[in-house]
Amino acid sequence: MLTLSLITVFFVSPLLFFTDLTRNPYYLQITLLNAALLAAGATLLAEAVRQKAWPLPPNILYAPLAALLAVMVLSFVHAWFGHMAFFRPSMVSEFTRAGVFTAVNCVLVFLLAQKVPFDSGPRRPSAYGWLAFILLWGGLWFLFPDLKTPAAGDSLMSRFWDPYGGFLWAGGAVAAWRLVRRFNQEDFLHLAMAAGALASCYGVLQYFGVELVWPRLLNPYGNRSVSTFGNPNFISSYLVMLLPFALAYLMSAEKTAHRLLYGFIFLSYAAMLMASLTRSSWGGAAAALATLFAFREYRRKFIENRKFLGWFLAAALLIVFLWPAQSLKPFSSGLLERMGEGAGKFDSFSSLSLKAGPGRIYSSFHQRLLIWTSAWQMGLESPMLGKGWGLFENFYPFYQGGLIFNFEDVRGLRTHANNAHNEIMEIFSQTGLLGLGVFIWLFYVLFAAFFRYCGVSGPEERYWTAPYAAAVVGMFADNMFNVSLHFAVPAMLFWWLTGGFSRKLSGSGGSAGRPWGKPAAGTAAAGLLILFCVFCIWYWSAQFMREMYYFRGFKAMRRNDLAGAVSELKKAYDSNGREVNNNYELANAYVRAGDLASAKWAYGEALKSNSGYDEIYFNLAIVEKRLGRTEAALDALKVSAFINPLSAATFSVMAETYLGDAGRYAKEAAGMFEAAGKIFPRDANIRNALGYFYTLLKDYRSAKMVYGRGVRDNPGDATLIRNLAASAAQLGLKNDPDLLWLRKFQEVQTRLSSGELSGPARASADELVGLEPANPNALALRAKLSFKAGDYKGAERDLLKALEARPGDNNLRYGLAVIYEKKGELGSARREWEALLQAEPGNAAAAERLKNLP
């Protein structure tokens, strides 16, 4: 049973996925992985009951690992008492998810690795057997497009089962069984390497537009290959850990068959790393290989075999440097293009901050900086114990909201981060300095033991242990910018290798454990743990069914089949009620079906699953408003605006709700819309609402200032103009400067529309700009007059100045690009069209102008 479970873990799970069963294609993969791990754990516990002993050898990491788990639980308990009751259901939901992941994907994997011994000869795996397995089994999938059977219906079995595919999987499982029958670390490592090579070959085919399994090419990340892992960042991390082992076996290979096997595996990994275009994993791979060559055994081995290894590694480097870019254009370099992205953005220290400035934002870096800053704030809130283990995703949006409110340059990078994208910040933000200290202690113990081991062991032992160290180093280097340590398959491999590494360093030659001093208590404990494994298998099967029903309901909603959507989404909820996306979609279905009471309940269930989504609060507010619950609606809207201050729709509904009882809420509303005005300084509706609430408070001067600024930003808005005139009259202002500016603006507009382009018209335009020299509307109006008069240089000058004040105004940029075309400065025109299209990819007119440039 243990062998079958591990075959599922290392062979089936990394390679099996479905695109039309669940919304996330790798959910079945995760379910199989966890069920197999839990079955293996139950098998070990049953063995413990038979032997009346825990069947695990001593290990140097048991104590720090137990301490880390204790701190994680303690951090959650601390967070539980530190937050209001509203958040506690979602905190339990998120902690349960993270806790099950940590217990099964990390700790149980580590313990299972203790049960699998090392072989006496690391080179014993059959090169012919593994080479045949990879090439034959992988090659048979090329026949799948012609031999597969179309699904007969929408049931789970009809979508899951295909006769030819089933034959391949059964044959592959039997072959894998025979190849790992000696049940040692080396055999399961080779099974993982073989699966990695198969996934790599599939991913490379995807990169070049070849799809063997599904009706259409899978490219959710552009041309970055996802292979069988559903995400390019996951398979790339998986390969980072296997790469040093492939190289170790390759460098020690003496026979042609071994060189063919490990050379093929190594090159497939290198190609897939390039096809993933994951820069953090490139850094991780470099760190892993550098760690290997830090050992003299590897440098000596290279010198001994330099005739073969020299040309082989040169070929590998050639693949890396000549790998085509995402566009697959001839003579393009994916490496240079990917590494060169954003290079021109970082020209000063300030460009590395959240206040980088216009044109200095590089989304990949600055979005991570936004996440890291939020993580840092979480940790600082409770330095010793952090925000609580597993609660990052639940609370991250509340920290991000304040940052995007205060830092305008990164507002376009708002995201819903599930992890910190940096392992140090991940641990610190959720478990504080105590958790980070224990985490560092764990790996200090591991590497201190490794250096002691290297000091007393011979060259052969050091040679075969070094890849474990390299894999751990590479994964940590990768996860300084990545999140793969917190996703199922790459995390499983990391903790398996860590477990095997620590077993070797602990001197655990056998697998004998410690007999129970109290057999009755030991049996009871083992029995409870077996029940826990069974419960978790049920838990994962329920989650899988939830995901399947959710995907069906999701598709029914897109077909406007509301009854079908409600039915399927409710089945998903009944299977497992703590999934925020399903509960949110169920609430939306109830709203569209007119069942507001059920919608309110379902939105509440979504918030009990994860309380960090502004969309839930916004939609709940709409329902509360329609149910006549004004206070509850406003409370939900305020939370939505706090999480996402960039939503104009939230402030629009908020204004409408406040206006229902404007006298009562005027002071509160004015405060909210003062803040909104900082985010939307040119939004006429927000200006009008704020001015109105000031008027209700009898603060007529502030109202007039708001309307005046609004008119200068939106001189065509009739409501603002009317309100400005009324407020100026209320204050008795006869020569209000804002009204004078407006009259001059309207005068220039009238002269321009009548075809008057010089003389008095030009003088009026100059006078208008003189009233407020940096006003983009005045500059744009004078630029239009200059352009029509043939003064392209003057028009260019005014538009450049207007863009300084309003860099995101694509109407101004459009005009500037046209001027450059007129002046024959095609390079400048191309630059402006490309910048405009980057901001507005769907602008057909700009795309046509760019296409027609000589």
Side-chain angles (χ1 to χ4, degrees), residues 254-304:
E254 297 174 354
K255 296 179 181 179
T256 302
H258 287 86
R259 288 181 172 179
L260 283 174
L261 171 64
Y262 300 116
F264 176 79
I265 290 174
F266 185 88
L267 291 178
S268 72
Y269 291 176
M272 182 60 224
L273 281 169
M274 297 309 301
S276 74
L277 296 175
T278 306
R279 288 167 295 189
S280 66
S281 294
W282 295 351
L289 298 183
T291 301
L292 274 191
F293 280 99
F295 292 88
R296 60 179 178 272
E297 287 79 12
Y298 281 84
R299 298 193 298 272
R300 287 175 181 171
K301 189 69 73 174
F302 178 81
I303 293 171
E304 290 172 9

Side-chain angles (χ1 to χ4, degrees), residues 3 31 41 83 97 183 262 264 286 415 552 662 673 738:
T3 302
T31 302
H83 287 84
R97 180 182 58 80
F183 195 80
Y262 300 116
F264 176 79
T415 184
R552 290 181 180 178
F673 279 86
D738 295 315

Side-chain angles (χ1 to χ4, degrees), residues 810-829:
N810 285 324
N811 289 325
L812 297 175
R813 195 168 299 280
Y814 192 103
L816 183 61
V818 171
I819 289 170
Y820 283 137
E821 284 188 16
K822 288 287 187 180
K823 291 175 65 180
E825 298 177 12
L826 301 184
S828 297

Side-chain angles (χ1 to χ4, degrees), residues 106-445:
C106 306
V107 177
L108 178 56
V109 171
F110 177 88
L111 296 176
L112 288 173
Q114 308 310 305
K115 189 60 180 172
V116 182
F118 284 90
D119 196 355
S120 57
R123 294 188 181 89
R124 286 209 305 173
S126 165
Y128 292 109
W130 286 108
L131 194 58
F133 175 67
I134 294 170
L135 297 179
L136 182 60
W137 191 79
L140 287 172
W141 282 98
F142 280 91
L143 302 177
F144 184 75
D146 297 318
L147 298 179
K148 66 181 177 182
T149 304
D154 199 41
S155 67
L156 174 61
M157 185 52 66
S158 65
R159 291 185 174 277
F160 183 83
W161 178 252
D162 176 83
Y164 182 71
F167 162 76
L168 283 183
W169 279 110
V174 170
W177 182 289
R178 289 191 58 80
L179 288 165
V180 301
R181 63 187 181 277
R182 290 193 304 271
F183 195 80
N184 56 49
Q185 289 278 348
E186 288 78 7
D187 284 344
F188 286 111
L189 176 62
H190 275 73
L191 186 57
M193 288 199 295
L198 289 162
S200 295
C201 292
Y202 179 54
V204 170
L205 289 173
Q206 283 181 332
Y207 192 82
F208 291 101
V210 178
E211 175 57 64
L212 298 177
V213 179
W214 306 110
R216 60 183 179 84
L217 193 65
L218 304 178
N219 55 356
Y221 297 86
N223 204 38
R224 297 178 62 197
S225 291
V226 300
S227 185
T228 59
F229 282 60
N231 189 308
N233 296 354
F234 299 166
I235 184 170
S236 62
S237 294
Y238 196 79
L239 301 181
V240 163
M241 293 181 282
L242 293 175
L243 198 66
F245 291 97
L247 185 59
Y249 277 100
L250 176 66
M251 292 180 71
S252 68
E254 297 174 354
K255 296 179 181 179
T256 302
H258 287 86
R259 288 181 172 179
L260 283 174
L261 171 64
Y262 300 116
F264 176 79
I265 290 174
F266 185 88
L267 291 178
S268 72
Y269 291 176
M272 182 60 224
L273 281 169
M274 297 309 301
S276 74
L277 296 175
T278 306
R279 288 167 295 189
S280 66
S281 294
W282 295 351
L289 298 183
T291 301
L292 274 191
F293 280 99
F295 292 88
R296 60 179 178 272
E297 287 79 12
Y298 281 84
R299 298 193 298 272
R300 287 175 181 171
K301 189 69 73 174
F302 178 81
I303 293 171
E304 290 172 9
N305 297 306
R306 61 183 177 274
K307 186 175 181 181
F308 163 68
L309 291 172
W311 70 259
F312 179 86
L313 293 178
L317 287 173
L318 203 62
I319 289 175
V320 168
F321 281 101
L322 296 183
W323 192 264
Q326 288 193 66
S327 61
L328 299 182
K329 290 180 180 178
F331 309 112
S332 63
S333 170
L335 177 69
L336 296 178
E337 182 180 281
R338 192 82 168 119
M339 295 303 294
E341 285 180 16
K345 308 280 187 181
F346 305 112
D347 57 357
S348 65
F349 283 113
S350 64
S351 64
L352 299 175
S353 73
L354 295 178
K355 294 193 293 184
R360 292 291 179 267
I361 292 295
Y362 179 50
S363 58
S364 291
F365 171 77
H366 286 95
Q367 189 174 72
R368 280 174 170 79
L369 186 60
L370 181 63
I371 296 169
W372 297 338
T373 307
S374 298
W376 178 248
Q377 291 178 339
M378 284 188 201
L380 288 183
E381 191 175 288
S382 177
M384 288 307 297
L385 288 170
K387 195 66 179 176
W389 181 246
L391 304 184
F392 186 91
E393 182 179 359
N394 195 61
F395 288 114
Y396 167 78
F398 293 92
Y399 293 83
Q400 178 184 239
L403 292 173
I404 60 178
F405 179 86
N406 289 298
F407 296 98
E408 182 178 358
D409 297 329
V410 295
R411 287 174 184 169
L413 303 180
R414 180 181 172 270
T415 184
H416 192 95
N418 44 24
N419 295 97
H421 288 73
N422 177 285
E423 196 57 25
I424 294 173
M425 296 306 302
E426 180 83 23
I427 302 297
F428 171 68
S429 65
Q430 296 175 84
T431 61
L433 291 172
L434 187 58
L436 182 59
V438 174
F439 188 76
I440 292 171
W441 172 44
L442 189 154
F443 287 97
Y444 169 79
V445 169

Side-chain angles (χ1 to χ4, degrees), residues 572-785:
Y573 174 83
D574 292 337
S575 296
N576 183 275
R578 285 293 168 261
E579 211 293 315
V580 63
N581 294 294
N582 178 77
N583 297 347
Y584 175 69
E585 198 74 17
L586 175 60
N588 292 340
Y590 279 133
V591 169
R592 292 178 60 185
D595 188 350
L596 297 184
S598 295
K600 178 184 173 182
W601 165 81
Y603 284 130
E605 292 301 294
L607 291 173
K608 288 177 181 178
S609 304
N610 187 311
S611 58
Y613 284 87
D614 65 288
E615 304 98 310
I616 305 174
Y617 294 99
F618 177 79
N619 287 8
L620 176 61
I622 299 294
V623 171
E624 295 281 24
K625 185 172 178 292
R626 290 170 64 181
L627 290 172
R629 293 167 46 85
T630 303
E631 284 285 347
L634 285 171
D635 286 344
L637 286 168
K638 283 183 276 189
V639 178
S640 180
F642 184 83
I643 294 175
N644 180 15
L646 306 182
S647 173
T650 300
F651 290 108
S652 176
V653 175
M654 191 181 291
E656 185 181 322
T657 308
Y658 278 133
L659 289 171
D661 193 350
R664 177 185 176 189
Y665 292 113
K667 185 174 182 180
E668 178 183 300
M672 292 298 300
F673 279 86
E674 283 172 1
K678 295 176 182 178
I679 295 287
F680 303 101
R682 294 171 51 219
D683 189 294
N685 293 326
I686 286 176
R687 291 281 181 186
N688 278 314
L690 178 57
Y692 177 71
F693 292 123
Y694 278 143
T695 302
L696 291 177
L697 294 170
K698 297 185 170 30
D699 187 354
Y700 302 118
R701 190 163 298 280
S702 293
K704 205 287 301 181
M705 290 175 62
V706 167
Y707 292 137
R709 185 68 262 166
V711 163
R712 291 184 186 235
D713 288 334
N714 302 275
D717 189 272
T719 305
L720 277 171
I721 294 170
R722 186 168 58 250
N723 288 337
L724 173 61
S727 62
Q730 182 111 29
L731 291 168
L733 301 176
K734 294 183 178 179
N735 293 307
D736 177 61
D738 295 315
L739 284 173
L740 291 175
W741 183 93
L742 175 64
R743 291 186 192 116
K744 183 58 65 175
F745 185 90
Q746 291 172 335
E747 177 191 334
V748 177
Q749 273 189 322
T750 302
R751 290 180 182 277
L752 181 63
S753 61
S754 66
E756 190 180 337
L757 303 177
S758 60
R762 181 70 191 191
S764 295
D766 291 341
E767 187 179 347
L768 171 66
V769 172
L771 292 174
E772 189 181 1
N775 186 285
N777 292 313
L779 289 165
L781 190 60
R782 188 169 73 174
K784 190 179 291 186
L785 188 147

